[in-house]
Amino acid sequence: MNNELNSSSPRRLTRAVRIGALTVGGDFPVVVQSMTNTDTVDVLKTAIQCAELARAGSELVRITVNTPEAAAAVPKIIEHLAKMGVAVPLIGDFHYNGHRLLADHPDCARGLAKYRINPGNVGHGKKRDEQFAQMIEIACRYDKPVRIGVNWGSLDQDLLARIMDENARRAAPRGAIEIMREAMVSSALESAAKAEEMGLPGDHIILSCKVSGVQDLIAIYRELSRRSDYPLHLGLTEAGMGSKGIVASTAAMSVLLQDGIGDTIRVSLTPEPGGSRTQEVIVAQEMLQTMGLRAFTPMVAACPGCGRTTSTFFQELAQSIQEHVRSHMPQWRTEYDGVENMTLAVMGCIVNGPGESKHANIGISLPGTGEVPAAPVFEDGAKTVTLRGEHIAEEFTAIVDRYVARTYPRKFAK
């Protein structure tokens, strides 16, 4: 599937890291990932959520591996995913005891596609170096890539103290925010250097520095990209829930992506009560697609409504078309080449309706208040039909389906 679009901003040149059948970095497209929030010990529930995330478009899925029971569950989760026909690479998220879990559960170590190591949570002093070395040695043994993921809530205190002491001896000491940012970058880079000294190839390392402030994230990743050529995983940690989390994550990551910084992203949303974890995957995809970096699913442009559009019909039609497209994309993606690049427009009155509809691959301009009750349909800029009556929604949906079947070449056509 060709899911790349033209971008006005060149990508930062990085090393390419292989994760299972996927490649992150280099000149490959930015990868979307997510993380489960199930108890990993619950094999079936975790496998089902991994499958849901993968089917929604998460190309990497991270799972918590925090206990011996969780580590023992990993091979079983992979087995269940295989039975469901899901081959998404799984990332093991380790804190505090990862060195023991990987050593004691070799099937877990072999089965995971990548390890996430937080250098602030692998131990202190001498134990920190020993336990970090153990995890890197296991990664080398099984030829696994590693994400060295620094988080501002768990910074290496020894490193932070060292940087603060060095700063105190400066003629013009830097402020607390600058020190925190430098500690984050130094922790990631020094840990990566140690991993390479221990034998982990440089093309097996991805870096991240997670913070919850938009300006902090932008500043840290710009510095990290300036000082290294490792692929970078972007994400605003503790972004929040609902619109706040979406806006904050988009504000931070879109600036960096426009600068060509970022090789894999996660939108860390707190789910609404009872809400689906897949929402963060959809937001990440829409961020990349609206920026013109990748295409995942046909995009629907819809009129916001005004005094000319007192009817809610165009809103209902836009929603039904969006739902129709999303529900059909799993099938369309396997059958039709390039369908993810399709654009649709559902407009509410004569002011911009015909023009917007002509700009889309397929669009409909519904009548506004007081307008003639007719809805012209445009395909690739040309008017093809005018719909009237009570079944406009069903008729337009059928037109969309016929357009897809007629326009996009079938894959594996004989």
Side-chain angles (χ1 to χ4, degrees):
M1 178 178 66
N2 178 15
N3 56 8
E4 294 183 73
L5 300 176
N6 291 328
S7 170
S8 59
S9 176
R11 284 280 300 284
R12 162 182 172 265
L13 184 62
T14 69
R15 311 181 196 200
V17 176
R18 193 78 172 168
I19 306 172
L22 196 69
T23 303
V24 170
D27 58 359
F28 287 85
V30 179
V31 169
V32 172
Q33 66 175 273
S34 184
M35 183 177 184
T36 59
N37 60 357
T38 57
D39 182 352
T40 307
V41 176
D42 189 332
V43 171
L44 185 58
K45 193 171 183 179
T46 302
I48 288 172
Q49 191 175 74
C50 287
E52 289 174 347
L53 291 169
R55 287 166 180 158
S58 185
E59 295 156 299
L60 296 168
V61 175
R62 183 157 48 110
I63 61 175
T64 297
V65 186
N66 57 337
T67 64
E69 293 78 14
V74 169
K76 300 174 185 176
I77 293 167
I78 295 171
E79 183 180 342
H80 274 279
L81 287 171
K83 290 178 181 177
M84 289 187 275
V86 177
V88 64
L90 294 186
I91 303 165
D93 193 62
F94 295 98
H95 297 274
Y96 309 113
N97 59 355
H99 59 292
R100 291 200 306 272
L101 296 178
L102 287 170
D104 295 345
H105 297 271
D107 287 344
C108 169
R110 278 190 293 265
L112 291 169
K114 186 177 75 170
Y115 311 152
R116 186 274 175 118
I117 304 174
N118 182 340
N121 284 342
V122 293
H124 301 285
K126 185 179 179 182
K127 283 188 175 181
R128 177 198 180 283
D129 293 340
E130 292 175 354
Q131 291 167 185
F132 181 78
Q134 282 181 260
M135 296 186 76
I136 296 302
E137 188 277 325
I138 293 170
C140 292
R141 185 190 312 166
Y142 295 113
D143 193 30
K144 302 294 182 180
V146 167
R147 170 159 70 94
I148 295 174
V150 181
N151 193 298
W152 78 326
S154 51
L155 263 173
D156 181 346
Q157 294 303 300
D158 293 337
L159 179 143
L160 181 59
R162 188 196 80 206
I163 291 177
M164 290 175 67
D165 288 343
E166 292 171 354
N167 185 59
R169 293 193 292 269
R170 291 170 60 99
R174 293 181 290 178
I177 292 177
E178 289 181 273
I179 292 301
M180 181 275 290
R181 292 172 177 174
E182 175 58 32
M184 297 279 293
V185 173
S186 294
S187 178
L189 294 178
E190 290 179 16
S191 296
K194 287 179 182 178
E196 289 205 56
E197 289 171 8
M198 294 168 185
L200 188 68
D203 62 1
H204 280 47
I205 298 172
I206 295 173
L207 300 183
S208 70
C209 287
K210 296 286 195 74
V211 293
S212 59
V214 169
Q215 296 300 334
D216 291 325
L217 194 83
I218 293 170
I220 286 169
Y221 273 88
R222 281 177 171 167
E223 183 65 10
L224 198 57
S225 70
R226 187 183 70 82
R227 290 162 58 177
S228 78
D229 64 351
Y230 297 109
L232 301 180
H233 167 69
L234 303 186
L236 196 70
T237 192
E238 292 96 33
M241 66 192 309
S243 60
K244 186 270 178 184
I246 293 171
V247 170
S249 294
T250 304
M253 286 192 273
S254 60
V255 170
L256 292 167
L257 290 166
Q258 188 64 24
D259 286 346
I261 299 169
D263 302 281
T264 172
I265 67 171
R266 181 196 173 197
V267 177
S268 300
L269 296 180
T270 304
E272 302 284 350
S276 173
R277 191 69 161 179
T278 59
Q279 176 65 18
E280 64 179 45
V281 179
I282 293 170
V283 173
Q285 289 181 329
E286 290 179 345
M287 184 194 309
L288 293 174
Q289 188 153 351
T290 54
M291 291 186 68
L293 297 175
R294 289 188 67 179
F296 297 94
T297 190
M299 298 292 282
V300 179
C303 171
C306 67
R308 290 175 174 269
T309 56
T310 54
S311 169
T312 61
F313 181 67
F314 79 92
Q315 300 165 340
E316 294 161 0
L317 179 58
Q319 182 179 23
S320 68
I321 289 296
Q322 183 74 70
E323 291 172 353
H324 180 79
V325 166
R326 285 206 171 275
S327 67
H328 281 66
M329 263 312 288
Q331 178 184 347
W332 285 351
R333 187 180 291 115
T334 60
E335 291 186 11
Y336 300 104
D337 189 33
V339 66
E340 64 276 1
N341 295 300
M342 181 173 65
T343 58
L344 302 98
V346 178
M347 306 306 294
C349 79
I350 199 170
V351 174
N352 291 314
E356 288 282 359
S357 297
K358 289 177 183 178
H359 289 314
N361 292 126
I362 182 167
I364 185 170
S365 179
L366 295 163
T369 304
E371 295 177 12
V372 176
V377 175
F378 299 84
E379 297 182 37
D380 295 322
K383 179 180 170 182
T384 57
V385 68
T386 298
L387 304 181
R388 294 179 174 85
E390 299 178 356
H391 303 289
I392 289 177
E394 295 88 341
E395 292 174 8
F396 183 64
T397 300
I399 290 171
V400 171
D401 290 343
R402 290 196 295 271
Y403 180 88
V404 169
R406 183 179 69 251
T407 304
Y408 297 97
R410 283 188 174 271
K411 295 182 177 180
F412 314 115
K414 294 182 180 179

